[in-house]
Coordinates of all heavy atoms in Angstrom, one line a residue:
M1105 N 157.1 120.6 39.4 CA 157.5 121.5 40.5 C 159.0 121.2 40.7 O 159.4 120.1 40.8 CB 156.7 121.3 41.7 CG 156.9 122.3 42.7 SD 155.9 122.1 44.3 CE 154.3 121.9 43.7
S1106 N 159.8 122.3 40.8 CA 161.2 122.1 40.9 C 161.6 121.7 42.4 O 160.9 121.9 43.3 CB 162.0 123.4 40.5 OG 161.8 124.3 41.5
L1107 N 162.8 121.2 42.5 CA 163.3 120.7 43.9 C 163.4 122.0 44.8 O 163.1 121.9 46.0 CB 164.6 120.0 43.7 CG 165.2 119.5 45.0 CD1 164.3 118.5 45.7 CD2 166.6 118.9 44.8
R1108 N 163.8 123.0 44.2 CA 163.9 124.3 45.0 C 162.6 124.8 45.5 O 162.5 125.2 46.6 CB 164.6 125.3 44.1 CG 164.9 126.6 44.8 CD 165.7 127.6 43.9 NE 166.1 128.7 44.6 CZ 166.7 129.7 44.1 NH1 167.0 129.7 42.8 NH2 167.1 130.8 44.9
T1109 N 161.5 124.7 44.7 CA 160.2 125.1 45.1 C 159.7 124.2 46.2 O 159.1 124.6 47.2 CB 159.2 125.1 43.9 OG1 159.8 125.9 42.9 CG2 157.9 125.6 44.3
K1110 N 159.9 122.9 46.0 CA 159.5 121.9 47.0 C 160.2 122.2 48.4 O 159.5 122.2 49.5 CB 159.8 120.5 46.6 CG 158.9 120.0 45.5 CD 159.3 118.6 45.1 CE 158.5 118.1 44.0 NZ 158.8 116.7 43.6
R1111 N 161.5 122.5 48.4 CA 162.2 122.8 49.6 C 161.6 124.1 50.2 O 161.5 124.1 51.5 CB 163.7 123.0 49.3 CG 164.4 121.8 49.0 CD 165.9 121.9 48.9 NE 166.6 120.7 48.7 CZ 167.8 120.6 48.3 NH1 168.5 121.7 48.0 NH2 168.3 119.5 48.1
R1112 N 161.3 125.1 49.5 CA 160.8 126.4 50.0 C 159.4 126.1 50.7 O 159.1 126.6 51.7 CB 160.6 127.4 48.9 CG 161.9 128.0 48.5 CD 161.7 129.1 47.5 NE 163.0 129.7 47.2 CZ 163.2 130.6 46.2 NH1 162.2 131.0 45.5 NH2 164.4 131.1 46.0
I1113 N 158.6 125.3 50.0 CA 157.2 125.0 50.5 C 157.4 124.2 51.8 O 156.7 124.4 52.9 CB 156.4 124.1 49.5 CG1 156.0 125.0 48.4 CG2 155.2 123.6 50.2 CD1 155.4 124.4 47.2
A1114 N 158.3 123.2 51.9 CA 158.6 122.4 53.1 C 159.1 123.3 54.2 O 158.6 123.2 55.4 CB 159.5 121.3 52.8
F1115 N 160.0 124.2 53.9 CA 160.5 125.1 54.9 C 159.4 126.0 55.5 O 159.3 126.2 56.7 CB 161.6 125.9 54.4 CG 162.2 127.0 55.3 CD1 163.0 126.6 56.4 CD2 161.9 128.3 55.2 CE1 163.5 127.5 57.3 CE2 162.4 129.2 56.1 CZ 163.2 128.8 57.2
A1116 N 158.6 126.6 54.6 CA 157.5 127.5 55.0 C 156.5 126.7 55.8 O 156.0 127.3 56.9 CB 156.8 128.1 53.8
T1117 N 156.2 125.5 55.5 CA 155.2 124.7 56.3 C 155.8 124.4 57.6 O 155.1 124.5 58.7 CB 154.9 123.4 55.5 OG1 154.5 123.7 54.2 CG2 153.9 122.6 56.3
L1118 N 157.1 124.1 57.7 CA 157.7 123.8 58.9 C 157.7 125.1 59.9 O 157.4 125.0 61.0 CB 159.1 123.3 58.7 CG 159.9 122.9 60.0 CD1 159.2 121.8 60.7 CD2 161.3 122.5 59.6
F1119 N 158.0 126.2 59.3 CA 158.1 127.4 60.0 C 156.8 127.8 60.6 O 156.7 128.2 61.7 CB 158.7 128.5 59.0 CG 158.9 129.9 59.7 CD1 159.9 130.1 60.5 CD2 158.0 130.9 59.5 CE1 160.2 131.3 61.1 CE2 158.2 132.1 60.1 CZ 159.2 132.3 60.9
V1120 N 155.7 127.6 59.8 CA 154.4 128.0 60.2 C 154.0 127.0 61.4 O 153.3 127.4 62.3 CB 153.4 127.9 59.1 CG1 152.0 128.1 59.6 CG2 153.6 129.1 58.1
A1121 N 154.3 125.7 61.2 CA 153.9 124.8 62.2 C 154.6 125.0 63.5 O 154.0 124.9 64.6 CB 154.2 123.3 61.7
I1122 N 155.9 125.3 63.5 CA 156.6 125.6 64.7 C 156.0 126.9 65.4 O 155.9 127.0 66.6 CB 158.1 125.8 64.5 CG1 158.7 124.3 64.1 CG2 158.8 126.3 65.7 CD1 160.1 124.3 63.6
G1123 N 155.8 127.9 64.6 CA 155.3 129.2 65.1 C 153.9 129.1 65.7 O 153.6 129.6 66.7
A1124 N 153.1 128.2 65.2 CA 151.8 128.0 65.7 C 151.8 127.2 67.0 O 150.9 127.4 67.8 CB 150.9 127.2 64.7
S1125 N 152.8 126.4 67.3 CA 152.8 125.6 68.5 C 153.5 126.3 69.6 O 153.5 125.9 70.7 CB 153.5 124.3 68.2 OG 154.9 124.5 67.9
C1126 N 154.1 127.5 69.3 CA 154.9 128.2 70.4 C 154.1 129.4 70.8 O 153.4 130.0 70.0 CB 156.2 128.7 69.9 SG 157.3 127.4 69.4
P1127 N 154.1 129.8 72.1 CA 153.4 131.0 72.5 C 154.0 132.2 72.0 O 155.2 132.3 71.6 CB 153.5 130.9 74.1 CG 154.8 130.1 74.3 CD 154.8 129.1 73.2
A1128 N 153.2 133.3 71.9 CA 153.7 134.5 71.4 C 154.9 135.1 72.2 O 154.8 135.0 73.4 CB 152.6 135.5 71.2
V1129 N 155.9 135.6 71.6 CA 157.0 136.1 72.3 C 156.6 137.4 73.1 O 157.0 137.6 74.3 CB 158.1 136.5 71.4 CG1 159.2 137.2 72.1 CG2 158.6 135.3 70.7
A1130 N 155.7 138.2 72.6 CA 155.3 139.5 73.2 C 154.1 139.3 74.1 O 153.3 140.2 74.3 CB 155.1 140.5 72.2
S1131 N 153.9 138.1 74.6 CA 152.7 137.8 75.5 C 152.7 138.7 76.7 O 153.8 138.9 77.3 CB 152.7 136.3 75.8 OG 151.7 136.1 76.8
T1132 N 151.6 139.1 77.2 CA 151.5 139.9 78.4 C 151.3 139.0 79.6 O 151.5 139.5 80.8 CB 150.3 140.9 78.4 OG1 149.1 140.1 78.2 CG2 150.5 141.9 77.2
A1133 N 151.1 137.8 79.5 CA 150.9 136.9 80.6 C 152.3 136.5 81.1 O 153.3 136.4 80.3 CB 150.2 135.5 80.1
P1134 N 152.5 136.4 82.4 CA 153.8 136.1 83.0 C 154.2 134.7 82.6 O 153.3 133.8 82.5 CB 153.6 136.2 84.5 CG 152.1 136.1 84.7 CD 151.5 136.6 83.5
A1135 N 155.5 134.5 82.4 CA 155.9 133.1 82.0 C 155.8 132.2 83.1 O 155.5 131.0 82.9 CB 157.4 133.2 81.6
F1136 N 156.0 132.7 84.4 CA 155.9 131.8 85.5 C 154.9 132.5 86.5 O 155.2 133.5 87.1 CB 157.2 131.6 86.3 CG 158.2 131.0 85.4 CD1 159.2 131.7 84.7 CD2 158.2 129.6 85.2 CE1 160.1 131.0 83.9 CE2 159.1 128.9 84.4 CZ 160.1 129.7 83.8
P1137 N 153.6 132.0 86.6 CA 152.7 132.7 87.5 C 153.1 132.7 88.9 O 153.8 131.8 89.4 CB 151.4 131.9 87.2 CG 151.8 130.6 86.7 CD 153.1 130.9 85.9
Q1138 N 152.8 133.7 89.6 CA 153.1 133.8 91.0 C 152.3 132.8 91.8 O 151.1 132.7 91.7 CB 152.8 135.2 91.6 CG 153.6 136.3 90.9 CD 155.1 136.1 91.2 OE1 155.5 135.7 92.3 NE2 155.9 136.4 90.3
V1139 N 152.9 132.0 92.6 CA 152.3 131.0 93.5 C 152.6 131.4 94.9 O 153.8 131.6 95.3 CB 152.8 129.6 93.1 CG1 152.2 128.6 94.0 CG2 152.6 129.3 91.7
S1140 N 151.6 131.4 95.7 CA 151.8 131.7 97.1 C 152.2 130.4 97.8 O 151.6 129.4 97.6 CB 150.6 132.3 97.8 OG 149.5 131.3 97.8
V1141 N 153.2 130.5 98.6 CA 153.8 129.3 99.3 C 153.4 129.6 100.8 O 153.8 130.6 101.4 CB 155.3 129.2 99.1 CG1 155.9 128.1 100.0 CG2 155.6 129.0 97.7
Q1142 N 152.9 128.5 101.4 CA 152.6 128.6 102.8 C 153.6 127.7 103.5 O 153.5 126.5 103.5 CB 151.2 128.1 103.1 CG 150.1 129.0 102.5 CD 148.7 128.4 102.7 OE1 148.6 127.3 103.2 NE2 147.7 129.2 102.4
R1143 N 154.6 128.3 104.0 CA 155.7 127.5 104.7 C 155.3 126.7 105.9 O 155.8 125.7 106.1 CB 156.9 128.4 105.0 CG 157.6 129.0 103.7 CD 158.7 129.8 104.1 NE 159.4 130.3 102.9 CZ 160.5 129.8 102.5 NH1 161.1 128.8 103.0 NH2 161.1 130.3 101.4
D1144 N 154.4 127.3 106.7 CA 154.0 126.6 107.9 C 153.3 125.3 107.6 O 153.4 124.3 108.3 CB 153.1 127.5 108.8 CG 151.9 128.0 108.1 OD1 151.9 128.1 106.9 OD2 151.0 128.3 108.8
V1145 N 152.6 125.2 106.5 CA 151.9 124.0 106.1 C 152.9 123.0 105.7 O 152.9 121.8 106.0 CB 150.9 124.3 104.9 CG1 150.3 123.0 104.4 CG2 149.8 125.2 105.5
T1146 N 154.0 123.5 105.0 CA 155.0 122.5 104.5 C 155.8 121.9 105.7 O 156.0 120.8 105.7 CB 156.0 123.3 103.6 OG1 155.3 123.9 102.5 CG2 157.0 122.4 103.0
A1147 N 156.1 122.7 106.7 CA 156.9 122.2 107.8 C 156.1 121.2 108.6 O 156.7 120.3 109.1 CB 157.3 123.4 108.7
H1148 N 154.8 121.4 108.7 CA 154.0 120.4 109.5 C 153.8 119.1 108.8 O 153.2 118.2 109.4 CB 152.7 121.1 109.8 CG 152.8 122.2 110.8 ND1 153.3 122.1 112.0 CD2 152.5 123.6 110.6 CE1 153.3 123.3 112.6 NE2 152.8 124.2 111.8
Q1149 N 154.3 119.0 107.6 CA 154.2 117.7 106.9 C 155.2 116.7 107.5 O 155.1 115.4 107.2 CB 154.3 117.8 105.4 CG 155.6 118.1 104.9 CD 155.7 118.2 103.4 OE1 154.7 117.9 102.8 NE2 156.8 118.5 102.9
F1150 N 156.2 117.2 108.2 CA 157.2 116.4 108.8 C 157.0 116.1 110.3 O 156.6 117.1 111.0 CB 158.6 117.0 108.5 CG 159.0 117.2 107.1 CD1 159.0 118.4 106.6 CD2 159.3 116.1 106.3 CE1 159.3 118.6 105.2 CE2 159.6 116.2 105.1 CZ 159.7 117.5 104.4
E1151 N 157.2 114.9 110.7 CA 157.1 114.6 112.1 C 158.4 114.0 112.7 O 159.1 113.4 111.9 CB 155.9 113.6 112.3 CG 154.6 114.2 112.0 CD 153.4 113.2 112.2 OE1 153.7 112.2 112.9 OE2 152.3 113.5 111.7
R1152 N 158.6 114.1 113.9 CA 159.8 113.6 114.5 C 159.9 112.1 114.3 O 158.9 111.4 114.4 CB 159.7 113.8 116.1 CG 160.9 113.5 116.8 CD 160.9 113.9 118.3 NE 162.1 113.5 118.8 CZ 162.4 113.5 120.1 NH1 161.4 113.9 121.0 NH2 163.6 113.2 120.6
G1153 N 161.0 111.7 114.0 CA 161.3 110.3 113.7 C 161.1 109.8 112.2 O 161.5 108.7 111.8
E1154 N 160.6 110.7 111.3 CA 160.5 110.4 109.9 C 161.8 110.4 109.2 O 162.7 111.2 109.6 CB 159.5 111.4 109.2 CG 158.0 111.1 109.6 CD 157.2 112.0 108.7 OE1 157.3 113.2 108.7 OE2 156.3 111.4 108.0
L1155 N 161.9 109.6 108.2 CA 163.2 109.6 107.3 C 162.9 110.6 106.2 O 161.9 110.7 105.5 CB 163.4 108.2 106.8 CG 163.7 107.2 107.8 CD1 163.9 105.8 107.1 CD2 165.0 107.5 108.6
V1156 N 164.0 111.5 106.0 CA 163.9 112.5 104.9 C 165.3 112.5 104.2 O 166.3 111.9 104.7 CB 163.6 113.9 105.5 CG1 162.2 113.9 106.1 CG2 164.6 114.3 106.5
R1157 N 165.3 113.2 103.1 CA 166.5 113.4 102.4 C 166.4 114.8 101.7 O 165.3 115.3 101.4 CB 166.6 112.4 101.3 CG 167.9 112.6 100.4 CD 168.0 111.4 99.5 NE 168.7 110.3 100.2 CZ 168.7 109.0 99.9 NH1 168.2 108.7 98.7 NH2 169.3 108.2 100.6
L1158 N 167.5 115.5 101.5 CA 167.4 116.8 100.8 C 167.0 116.6 99.4 O 167.3 115.6 98.8 CB 168.9 117.4 100.8 CG 169.3 118.0 102.1 CD1 170.8 118.4 102.0 CD2 168.5 119.3 102.5
R1159 N 166.2 117.4 98.8 CA 165.7 117.3 97.5 C 166.9 117.3 96.5 O 166.8 116.7 95.4 CB 164.8 118.5 97.2 CG 163.5 118.4 97.9 CD 162.5 119.5 97.4 NE 161.3 119.5 98.2 CZ 160.3 118.7 98.0 NH1 160.3 117.8 97.1 NH2 159.2 118.8 98.8
S1160 N 168.0 117.9 96.9 CA 169.2 117.9 96.0 C 170.0 116.7 96.2 O 171.0 116.5 95.4 CB 170.0 119.1 96.3 OG 170.4 119.1 97.6
G1161 N 169.6 115.7 97.1 CA 170.4 114.5 97.3 C 171.1 114.5 98.7 O 170.9 115.5 99.4
G1162 N 171.9 113.5 98.9 CA 172.5 113.4 100.2 C 172.1 112.3 101.0 O 171.3 111.4 100.5
P1163 N 172.6 112.2 102.3 CA 172.2 111.0 103.1 C 170.8 111.0 103.5 O 170.1 112.1 103.6 CB 173.3 111.1 104.2 CG 173.4 112.6 104.4 CD 173.4 113.2 102.9
M1164 N 170.3 109.8 103.9 CA 169.0 109.7 104.6 C 169.2 110.2 106.0 O 170.2 110.0 106.7 CB 168.6 108.3 104.6 CG 167.2 108.1 105.0 SD 166.5 106.4 104.7 CE 168.0 105.4 104.7
M1165 N 168.2 111.0 106.4 CA 168.3 111.7 107.7 C 167.0 111.4 108.5 O 166.0 111.1 107.9 CB 168.5 113.2 107.6 CG 169.7 113.6 106.8 SD 169.9 115.3 106.5 CE 168.6 115.7 105.3
T1166 N 167.1 111.5 109.8 CA 165.9 111.4 110.7 C 165.5 112.7 111.3 O 166.4 113.5 111.7 CB 166.2 110.4 111.8 OG1 166.7 109.2 111.3 CG2 165.1 110.2 112.7
V1167 N 164.2 113.1 111.2 CA 163.7 114.3 111.7 C 163.8 114.2 113.2 O 163.3 113.3 113.8 CB 162.3 114.6 111.3 CG1 161.7 115.9 111.9 CG2 162.3 114.7 109.7
S1168 N 164.5 115.2 113.9 CA 164.5 115.2 115.3 C 163.7 116.3 115.9 O 163.3 116.2 117.1 CB 166.0 115.4 115.8 OG 166.6 116.6 115.3
A1169 N 163.3 117.3 115.1 CA 162.5 118.4 115.7 C 162.0 119.2 114.5 O 162.6 119.3 113.5 CB 163.2 119.3 116.7
V1170 N 160.8 119.9 114.7 CA 160.3 120.8 113.7 C 159.9 122.1 114.4 O 159.2 122.1 115.4 CB 159.0 120.2 113.0 CG1 158.4 121.2 112.0 CG2 159.3 118.8 112.4
K1171 N 160.5 123.2 114.0 CA 160.3 124.5 114.5 C 159.9 125.5 113.4 O 160.8 125.8 112.6 CB 161.5 125.0 115.3 CG 161.9 124.1 116.4 CD 163.2 124.5 117.0 CE 163.7 123.4 118.0 NZ 165.1 123.6 118.4
D1172 N 158.7 126.0 113.4 CA 158.2 126.8 112.4 C 158.5 126.2 111.0 O 157.9 125.1 110.8 CB 158.9 128.2 112.4 CG 158.6 128.9 113.7 OD1 157.5 128.8 114.2 OD2 159.5 129.6 114.2
D1173 N 159.2 126.8 110.1 CA 159.5 126.2 108.8 C 160.8 125.5 108.7 O 161.3 125.3 107.6 CB 159.2 127.2 107.7 CG 160.3 128.3 107.7 OD1 160.9 128.5 108.8 OD2 160.5 128.9 106.6
Q1174 N 161.4 125.3 109.9 CA 162.8 124.7 110.0 C 162.6 123.3 110.5 O 161.9 123.1 111.5 CB 163.6 125.5 110.9 CG 163.9 127.0 110.4 CD 164.7 126.9 109.0 OE1 165.7 126.4 108.9 NE2 164.1 127.6 108.1
V1175 N 163.4 122.4 109.9 CA 163.4 120.9 110.3 C 164.8 120.5 110.7 O 165.7 120.7 110.0 CB 162.9 120.0 109.2 CG1 162.8 118.6 109.6 CG2 161.5 120.5 108.6
E1176 N 164.9 120.2 112.0 CA 166.2 119.6 112.5 C 166.3 118.2 112.2 O 165.4 117.4 112.5 CB 166.3 119.9 114.0 CG 167.7 119.6 114.5 CD 167.7 120.0 116.0 OE1 167.1 121.1 116.4 OE2 168.3 119.2 116.8
C1177 N 167.5 117.8 111.6 CA 167.7 116.4 111.2 C 169.0 115.9 111.8 O 170.0 116.7 112.0 CB 167.8 116.3 109.7 SG 166.3 116.9 108.9
V1178 N 169.1 114.6 112.0 CA 170.3 113.9 112.4 C 170.6 112.8 111.5 O 169.7 112.2 110.9 CB 170.2 113.4 113.8 CG1 170.1 114.5 114.8 CG2 169.0 112.5 114.0
W1179 N 171.8 112.4 111.3 CA 172.3 111.4 110.4 C 173.7 111.0 110.8 O 174.3 111.6 111.6 CB 172.2 111.8 108.9 CG 173.3 112.8 108.5 CD1 174.4 112.5 107.9 CD2 173.2 114.2 108.7 NE1 175.1 113.7 107.7 CE2 174.3 114.8 108.1 CE3 172.2 115.1 109.2 CZ2 174.5 116.2 108.1 CZ3 172.4 116.4 109.1 CH2 173.6 116.9 108.6
T1180 N 174.2 109.9 110.3 CA 175.6 109.5 110.5 C 176.4 109.7 109.2 O 175.8 109.4 108.1 CB 175.7 108.0 110.9 OG1 175.0 107.2 110.0 CG2 175.1 107.8 112.3
D1181 N 177.6 110.1 109.3 CA 178.4 110.3 108.2 C 179.0 109.0 107.7 O 178.7 107.9 108.3 CB 179.5 111.4 108.4 CG 180.5 111.1 109.5 OD1 180.6 109.9 109.8 OD2 181.2 112.0 109.9
D1182 N 179.9 109.0 106.8 CA 180.5 107.9 106.2 C 181.4 107.1 107.2 O 181.7 105.9 107.1 CB 181.4 108.2 105.0 CG 180.6 108.7 103.8 OD1 179.4 108.3 103.7 OD2 181.1 109.4 103.0
N1183 N 181.9 107.8 108.3 CA 182.7 107.2 109.3 C 181.9 106.7 110.5 O 182.4 106.3 111.5 CB 183.8 108.2 109.8 CG 184.7 108.6 108.7 OD1 185.0 107.8 107.9 ND2 185.1 109.9 108.7
G1184 N 180.6 106.9 110.4 CA 179.7 106.4 111.4 C 179.5 107.5 112.6 O 178.9 107.2 113.6
Q1185 N 180.0 108.7 112.3 CA 179.9 109.8 113.4 C 178.6 110.4 113.2 O 178.2 110.8 112.1 CB 181.1 110.7 113.2 CG 182.4 110.1 113.4 CD 182.6 109.7 114.8 OE1 182.2 110.3 115.8 NE2 183.1 108.5 114.9
P1186 N 177.8 110.7 114.3 CA 176.6 111.4 114.2 C 176.8 112.9 113.8 O 177.8 113.5 114.2 CB 176.0 111.3 115.6 CG 177.2 111.0 116.5 CD 178.2 110.3 115.7
D1187 N 175.8 113.4 113.0 CA 175.9 114.8 112.7 C 174.5 115.3 112.7 O 173.5 114.5 112.6 CB 176.5 114.9 111.2 CG 177.1 116.3 110.9 OD1 176.9 117.1 111.8 OD2 177.7 116.4 109.9
D1188 N 174.3 116.6 112.7 CA 173.0 117.2 112.7 C 173.0 118.6 112.1 O 174.0 119.2 112.0 CB 172.4 117.3 114.2 CG 173.2 118.3 115.0 OD1 174.2 117.8 115.6 OD2 172.8 119.4 115.1
A1189 N 171.9 119.0 111.6 CA 171.7 120.3 111.0 C 170.2 120.7 110.8 O 169.4 119.8 111.0 CB 172.4 120.3 109.6
T1190 N 170.0 121.9 110.6 CA 168.6 122.4 110.5 C 168.4 122.9 109.0 O 169.3 123.6 108.5 CB 168.3 123.5 111.4 OG1 168.5 123.0 112.8 CG2 166.9 124.0 111.3
F1191 N 167.3 122.5 108.4 CA 167.1 122.8 107.0 C 165.7 123.4 106.8 O 164.7 123.1 107.6 CB 167.1 121.5 106.1 CG 168.4 120.8 106.2 CD1 168.5 119.6 107.1 CD2 169.5 121.1 105.4 CE1 169.6 118.9 107.1 CE2 170.7 120.4 105.6 CZ 170.8 119.3 106.4
P1192 N 165.4 124.3 105.8 CA 164.1 124.7 105.5 C 163.3 123.5 105.1 O 163.7 122.6 104.4 CB 164.3 125.7 104.4 CG 165.8 126.0 104.3 CD 166.4 124.9 104.9
A1193 N 162.0 123.5 105.5 CA 161.1 122.3 105.2 C 161.0 122.1 103.7 O 161.0 121.0 103.3 CB 159.8 122.6 105.9
D1194 N 161.0 123.2 102.9 CA 160.8 123.0 101.5 C 162.0 122.5 100.7 O 162.0 122.1 99.6 CB 160.3 124.2 100.8 CG 161.2 125.5 101.1 OD1 162.1 125.4 101.8 OD2 160.9 126.5 100.5
A1195 N 163.1 122.3 101.5 CA 164.4 121.7 100.9 C 164.4 120.2 101.1 O 165.3 119.5 100.6 CB 165.6 122.3 101.5
L1196 N 163.4 119.6 101.9 CA 163.4 118.2 102.2 C 162.3 117.5 101.6 O 161.2 118.1 101.2 CB 163.3 118.1 103.7 CG 164.4 118.7 104.6 CD1 164.0 118.6 106.1 CD2 165.7 117.9 104.4
Q1197 N 162.5 116.2 101.4 CA 161.4 115.3 100.9 C 161.4 114.1 101.8 O 162.4 113.7 102.3 CB 161.6 114.9 99.5 CG 162.9 114.1 99.2 CD 163.0 113.9 97.7 OE1 162.3 114.4 96.9 NE2 164.1 113.1 97.3
K1198 N 160.2 113.5 102.0 CA 160.1 112.3 102.7 C 160.8 111.1 102.0 O 160.7 111.1 100.7 CB 158.6 112.0 103.1 CG 158.0 112.9 104.0 CD 156.6 112.5 104.3 CE 155.9 113.5 105.3 NZ 154.6 113.1 105.6
F1199 N 161.3 110.2 102.7 CA 162.0 109.0 102.1 C 161.0 107.9 102.0 O 160.4 107.6 102.9 CB 163.3 108.7 102.8 CG 164.1 107.7 102.1 CD1 164.8 108.1 100.9 CD2 164.2 106.4 102.5 CE1 165.6 107.1 100.2 CE2 165.0 105.5 101.9 CZ 165.7 105.8 100.7

């Protein structure tokens, strides 16, 4: 068997293996299924006095109040000055 034929067989085998492991491009199933989010359940997971942080990073904060799906937090900046803000509950994680 020539080197060229061996390369073609290897390429065809690799192509078939990759194609078999990937989902069909024309699939009718949604790529990301719809998930219902219950925001009130998420907000109630936080209690006053708990330590939290934004999921995207940032300083450690203390929960000062929870109203609906909003969580009010306080923290001190780099200069030691107190600061506060309100965030959606799903943007926070417990520390």
Side-chain angles (χ1 to χ4, degrees):
M1105 192 180 306
S1106 72
L1107 180 61
R1108 187 173 183 185
T1109 304
K1110 288 180 182 180
R1111 285 184 180 168
R1112 285 183 178 174
I1113 291 172
F1115 178 75
T1117 304
L1118 181 63
F1119 184 74
V1120 170
I1122 290 173
S1125 66
C1126 295
V1129 175
S1131 175
T1132 58
F1136 299 99
Q1138 297 294 325
V1139 178
S1140 63
V1141 177
Q1142 297 177 353
R1143 291 181 179 260
D1144 58 332
V1145 173
T1146 304
H1148 293 297
Q1149 74 180 356
F1150 298 108
E1151 295 181 14
R1152 187 175 183 192
E1154 284 188 307
L1155 296 176
V1156 296
R1157 179 174 280 164
L1158 286 170
R1159 291 185 186 278
S1160 60
M1164 190 170 25
M1165 303 177 286
T1166 304
V1167 174
S1168 60
V1170 179
K1171 300 172 188 165
D1172 298 325
D1173 68 339
Q1174 300 293 309
V1175 181
E1176 187 175 318
C1177 300
V1178 295
W1179 69 97
T1180 55
D1181 63 16
D1182 293 336
N1183 298 323
Q1185 297 298 315
D1187 206 350
D1188 65 274
T1190 302
F1191 303 98
D1194 55 357
L1196 298 171
Q1197 62 184 6
K1198 290 183 181 183
F1199 188 74

